[in-house]
């Protein structure tokens, strides 16, 4: 366990040493949210007190605000880092680690998420909160929100790990990252709440692992999940976590053999 905790610390300190890029990311997220606010203010003009697909205007703004903060928190560079290791030959080091390579990468990425929360989500939230009409939550909802948020961060790490491993077969990962970014942006509810999608797309999104990354935590914060719905959402998150772990382990096994065949 101490080895994994050390990797968590390494992930945090690595981002702290190169925090210039993170500050740029903060400005990017803040700018993105500013554009979204302008767009939804135009869409929601004159609709105060009314609901759109089950969301009032303040709830929609709160949803998008939290979506930006959550995406910043769960953001991990594991996919790019792993692809770089594979292309540079440093991936061979993972083959001789005295720790489980999957859990080791997960631990290091947890450190990255903690850094993004401390130096990303909190500053963005503090800076933008006075300027947006947010709907608060209750203390009773916070444990469920925290639970779904932790699961979201862990699931995102696994998704990035799987995407990074694909570079063993594709060599260039740009296309894989573009596809992952597109699926995550739409199916997680980060671009717009999933309820605003066409019915068939909303149904697909809700059962995909991507909905657990943003949509489920925000709905739990807003109190739009009943006790039964919240239990079901947590069960779906846990099920996808297990599926992603098994998939990552299977891909790791195949990637290790294929990489060794290349002479790594």
């Amino acid at each position: 366990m101490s080895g994994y905790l050390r990797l968590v610390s390494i992930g945090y300190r690595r981002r702290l040493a190169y925090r210039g890029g993170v500050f740029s990311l903060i400005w990017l997220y803040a700018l993105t949210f500013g554009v979204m606010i302008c767009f939804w203010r135009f869409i929601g003009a004159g609709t105060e007190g009314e609901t759109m697909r089950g969301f009032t205007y303040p709830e929609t703004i709160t949803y998008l605000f939290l979506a930006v903060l959550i995406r910043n928190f769960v953001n991990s560079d594991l996919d790019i880092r792993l692809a770089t290791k594979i292309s540079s030959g440093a991936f061979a080091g993972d083959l001789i680690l005295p720790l489980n390579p999957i859990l080791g990468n997960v631990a290091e990425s947890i450190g990255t998420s903690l850094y993004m929360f401390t130096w990303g989500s909190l500053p963005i939230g503090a800076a933008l909160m006075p300027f947006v009409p947010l709907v608060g939550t209750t203390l009773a909802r916070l444990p469920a929100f925290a639970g779904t948020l932790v699961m979201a961060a862990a699931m995102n790490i696994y998704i990035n790990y799987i995407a990074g491993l694909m570079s063993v077969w594709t060599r260039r990962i740009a296309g894989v990252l573009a596809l992952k970014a597109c699926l995550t942006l739409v199916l997680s509810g980060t671009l717009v709440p999933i309820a605003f999608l066409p019915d068939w797309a909303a149904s697909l999104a809700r059962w995909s692992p991507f909905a657990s990354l943003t949509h489920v935590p925000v709905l739990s914060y807003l109190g739009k999940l009943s006790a039964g719905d919240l239990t079901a959402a947590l069960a779906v998150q846990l099920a996808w976590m297990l599926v992603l772990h098994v998939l990552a382990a299977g891909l790791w096994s195949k990637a290790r053999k294929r990489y060794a065949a290349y002479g790594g």
Side-chain angles (χ1 to χ4, degrees), residues 24-34 68 71-72 75 124:
S24 298
L25 193 62
I26 290 174
W27 282 106
L28 175 62
Y29 277 110
L31 179 61
T32 300
F33 181 70
V68 170
R71 285 306 303 157
N72 181 75
N75 180 61
I124 293 173

Side-chain angles (χ1 to χ4, degrees), residues 8-242:
V8 172
S9 175
I10 288 172
Y12 183 90
R13 286 184 286 125
R14 178 176 56 83
R15 294 308 295 264
L16 189 64
Y18 299 98
R19 52 187 175 272
V22 177
F23 291 145
S24 298
L25 193 62
I26 290 174
W27 282 106
L28 175 62
Y29 277 110
L31 179 61
T32 300
F33 181 70
V35 173
M36 293 168 69
I37 285 292
C38 292
F39 173 78
W40 282 99
R41 276 183 173 170
F42 173 78
I43 295 295
T47 63
E48 288 76 5
E50 302 179 13
T51 60
M52 298 181 290
R53 295 296 183 102
F55 290 85
T56 64
Y57 173 69
E59 286 176 339
T60 302
I61 298 301
T62 303
Y63 181 105
L64 297 172
F65 179 74
L66 288 175
V68 170
L69 298 186
I70 291 172
R71 285 306 303 157
N72 181 75
F73 166 62
V74 304
N75 180 61
S76 168
D77 62 347
L78 177 57
D79 43 11
I80 299 174
R81 191 156 37 87
L82 188 56
T84 302
K85 281 185 179 181
I86 292 171
S87 62
S88 68
F91 184 65
D94 283 9
L95 303 179
I96 59 174
L97 274 176
L99 303 173
N100 182 298
I102 298 176
L103 296 181
N105 280 283
V106 169
E108 189 173 351
S109 295
I110 289 174
T112 299
S113 293
L114 291 175
Y115 176 84
M116 295 302 296
F117 175 76
T118 305
W119 297 95
S121 296
L122 287 182
I124 293 173
L128 296 181
M129 194 174 294
F131 305 101
V132 292
L134 300 178
V135 177
T137 189
T138 63
L139 291 177
R141 298 176 192 164
L142 290 180
F145 173 65
T148 57
L149 190 58
V150 169
M151 292 288 285
M155 287 179 64
N156 190 68
I157 290 171
Y158 273 107
I159 290 173
N160 283 350
Y161 186 80
I162 292 169
L165 277 182
M166 294 305 297
S167 63
V168 170
W169 290 272
T170 62
R171 293 292 183 169
R172 296 184 181 277
I173 199 176
V176 175
L177 294 183
L179 176 61
K180 179 182 72 72
C182 181
L183 290 175
T184 302
L185 186 65
V186 177
L187 298 183
S188 70
T190 302
L191 183 63
V192 294
I194 288 178
F196 286 75
L197 298 176
D199 291 341
W200 64 269
S203 179
L204 174 64
R206 288 190 182 97
W207 287 103
S208 75
F210 300 101
S212 296
L213 302 183
T214 302
H215 184 70
V216 171
V218 175
L219 290 191
S220 68
Y221 177 92
L222 291 174
K224 289 190 172 292
L225 295 177
S226 65
D229 291 337
L230 180 59
T231 301
L234 288 170
V236 169
Q237 280 187 314
L238 180 59
W240 272 116
M241 176 74 76
L242 296 175

